[in-house]
Amino acid sequence: MLGTTRPTSDTLPDPHAPGPFDRARPRVFVAVAVAFAANLGSLGAARGQAWASEPGLVGFLLLLVAPAALLFLLPRRPALAAVLSVAATVTFLLLGYPWGPVFLGPVAVLAGVMLSGDVRRARLIAWSGAALLAGGVSAVAALIAPRVEQVLADEPPPPRGEWGPGYGGHGWNADDGGWFLSPASLIAAAAWLAVVLLVASGARDRITRRVAARAAARATAAERERTAVASERLRIARELHDVLAHSLSAINVQAGVGLHLLEKNPGQAREALSNIRDTSKDALAEVRTVLGIVREGASPPAQGTLHDGAAPLAPTWDLTGLHALADQARAEGLGVTVELADDVRGLPDHVVGVVHRVVQESLTNVRRHAPSARRVTLRVTRHDGVEVVVADDGVPAAGPAEPGYGLLGMRERVEGAGGTLTAGPRGDGTGWEVRARLPVPQGAPASTPPSDEPETGDTA
């Protein structure tokens, strides 16, 4: 549909799209879980690391820095949150507290940074924080390694396997916790940190794409709704124009006749007034029909409910209405010949509606723009589709004709039904011709066949 947007699978993520950690609820959940696991886990880890001391009040407070930063500093101060969590972790390790669970805090903060705020800025801060954490931990490991070796040398645990380079004739094993300080362990920890950040980055991209797709779908639905409303307004405007233009044009002609004959021929003047009354009554009934459809809240048919080429037109008529249009034009002095082929009976409703409006507007244009016309030929035939021809014998206007709302409405209506419309001077220069061709979909619902009226009427 023209003017709509459609989400695509390769939609780039919006750098400014909110992340899941921009909301407080997930941050509160993660912060509480990290605080509980880091504090409780550090107490247990201290018992397995002979060289480490149990965290006291200072240690517990340092373990709460990362959860607090995750909870209160994101997403507004991501850089400060990353720096504080890394600094608290490094301080915790320098004070000789156990390694292991303490890393849950900074890892959670860096992942939270990746999942909140601006995408590009979040990635820069998260990876910078990861580098800062890796460098700080490596520096702490180098600083405390001699003291750990000294402690293990004074009180060596039973050897159960080599985990790193030995100092003083023995190695680090699983019981003393010294394997945390080995280069291989530090490299493995850095690799796992990179994996966590890569997973968080991928999740952020996926969530952002999903949010962008939902936003695009909402925008598309809103645009479709606006287009449907505009189409409905255009349809109603066409209906009202066709009704009012035709009826007011006929009333204008009859009023002129009545005024001209008021004193000379009161009988014909009375007939003109009677025609004005009937025309205005019919016009009022049609306007009420159109407005009744609007008041009932009728919306355009859903896509796929109409046959190919169908246009949502209401109200519709059977072809007997063409005889009524011809009779009205004859009452105004035009000689109208109506030729309806036998095989045009039972056409679909929407096709009959378009035919009726094309004939109605064409006769209106004859009255308004071809006052010299005396004869009009109306022909409806059916071959591959339906062809409507309305031709008059009026003198063509000098210069190119400017299309008005009536001709524009006819063209929109015919093209909306999948047909084509041409309008212009006849080839022999004897008047104006409107020719519309409309397809007839197979299996479309048929209108009520016209009653048994003469198919051809001719009034000189």
Side-chain angles (χ1 to χ4, degrees):
M1 183 179 294
L2 184 62
T4 59
T5 57
R6 184 174 300 172
T8 58
S9 58
D10 56 348
T11 303
L12 295 178
D14 181 7
H16 305 289
F21 272 40
D22 285 322
R23 296 175 296 172
R25 182 175 297 180
R27 297 204 313 274
V28 170
F29 176 80
V30 174
V32 171
V34 167
F36 180 79
N39 282 275
L40 190 61
S42 294
L43 287 176
R47 300 178 181 179
Q49 300 176 19
W51 45 270
S53 58
E54 286 191 1
L57 178 61
V58 175
F60 289 131
L61 291 177
L62 289 173
L63 290 174
L64 292 176
V65 170
L70 181 66
L71 184 59
F72 298 109
L73 296 180
L74 293 184
R76 293 171 298 174
R77 299 287 188 272
L80 180 59
V83 170
L84 287 180
S85 63
V86 171
T89 301
V90 171
T91 303
F92 183 89
L93 298 177
L94 284 173
L95 292 177
Y97 296 130
W99 290 48
V102 65
F103 296 115
L104 290 176
V107 171
V109 170
L110 295 178
V113 169
M114 187 70 78
L115 294 172
S116 63
D118 181 83
V119 175
R120 297 190 182 96
R121 182 166 176 256
R123 285 175 178 164
L124 176 62
I125 294 175
W127 286 110
S128 300
L132 181 63
L133 178 62
V137 171
S138 299
V140 172
L143 288 174
I144 70 172
R147 180 168 63 86
V148 172
E149 289 299 325
Q150 184 63 43
V151 171
L152 295 178
D154 294 339
E155 300 179 5
R160 293 188 179 179
E162 299 278 337
W163 283 91
Y167 294 92
H170 73 276
W172 297 337
N173 58 51
D175 290 334
D176 59 35
W179 62 274
F180 281 107
L181 306 179
S182 67
S185 298
L186 295 176
I187 293 174
W192 277 110
L193 177 60
V195 169
V196 170
L197 293 184
L198 288 174
V199 171
S201 178
R204 178 69 186 275
D205 287 344
R206 183 175 180 180
I207 293 172
T208 303
R209 283 192 174 92
R210 188 178 300 170
V211 171
R214 284 199 295 264
R218 286 193 297 268
T220 300
E223 183 63 26
R224 286 176 177 170
E225 183 177 354
R226 287 193 295 269
T227 303
V229 170
S231 299
E232 185 69 359
R233 287 175 177 172
L234 180 60
R235 182 184 68 82
I236 295 170
R238 282 199 302 260
E239 294 289 344
L240 293 177
H241 173 273
D242 290 346
V243 172
L244 296 178
H246 176 80
S247 302
L248 293 179
S249 175
I251 290 172
N252 180 65
V253 173
Q254 293 291 340
V257 172
L259 288 174
H260 181 70
L261 299 175
L262 185 60
E263 296 181 357
K264 298 180 180 180
N265 194 334
Q268 290 188 10
R270 185 180 298 106
E271 183 180 354
L273 291 175
S274 178
N275 290 333
I276 290 175
R277 181 195 60 191
D278 295 339
T279 302
S280 60
K281 180 180 178 181
D282 294 340
L284 182 59
E286 274 196 74
V287 170
R288 283 176 174 171
T289 301
V290 174
L291 295 181
I293 295 170
V294 177
R295 286 184 178 275
E296 290 173 4
S299 58
Q303 186 175 3
T305 60
L306 286 177
H307 297 273
D308 295 338
L313 297 171
T316 55
W317 305 262
D318 57 46
L319 292 180
T320 58
L322 300 185
H323 294 286
L325 294 175
D327 291 340
Q328 190 178 63
R330 291 176 187 131
E332 298 167 11
L334 283 175
V336 181
T337 301
V338 181
E339 301 175 3
L340 303 181
D342 293 335
D343 54 358
V344 299
R345 293 173 178 267
L347 290 174
D349 286 340
H350 75 275
V351 175
V352 176
V354 175
V355 171
H356 184 100
R357 288 308 194 193
V358 168
V359 172
Q360 183 184 57
E361 184 60 31
S362 298
L363 293 176
T364 300
N365 287 340
V366 172
R367 287 194 294 266
R368 295 176 60 187
H369 304 298
S372 62
R374 292 294 176 264
R375 298 184 63 83
V376 177
T377 301
L378 164 59
R379 185 169 62 251
V380 181
T381 56
R382 182 172 181 176
H383 302 289
D384 295 336
V386 176
E387 184 177 67
V388 184
V389 178
V390 182
D392 64 75
D393 61 352
V395 178
E402 296 183 2
Y405 290 113
L407 183 58
L408 178 62
M410 270 198 298
R411 190 177 303 280
E412 290 174 347
R413 193 184 297 276
V414 170
E415 292 178 353
T420 59
L421 182 135
T422 57
R426 300 171 67 179
D428 55 6
T430 59
W432 187 271
E433 181 180 271
V434 175
R435 185 182 298 268
R437 292 183 175 88
L438 298 165
V440 179
Q442 296 294 330
S447 64
T448 304
S451 59
D452 296 332
E453 294 188 20
E455 296 298 323
T456 303
D458 192 355
T459 301

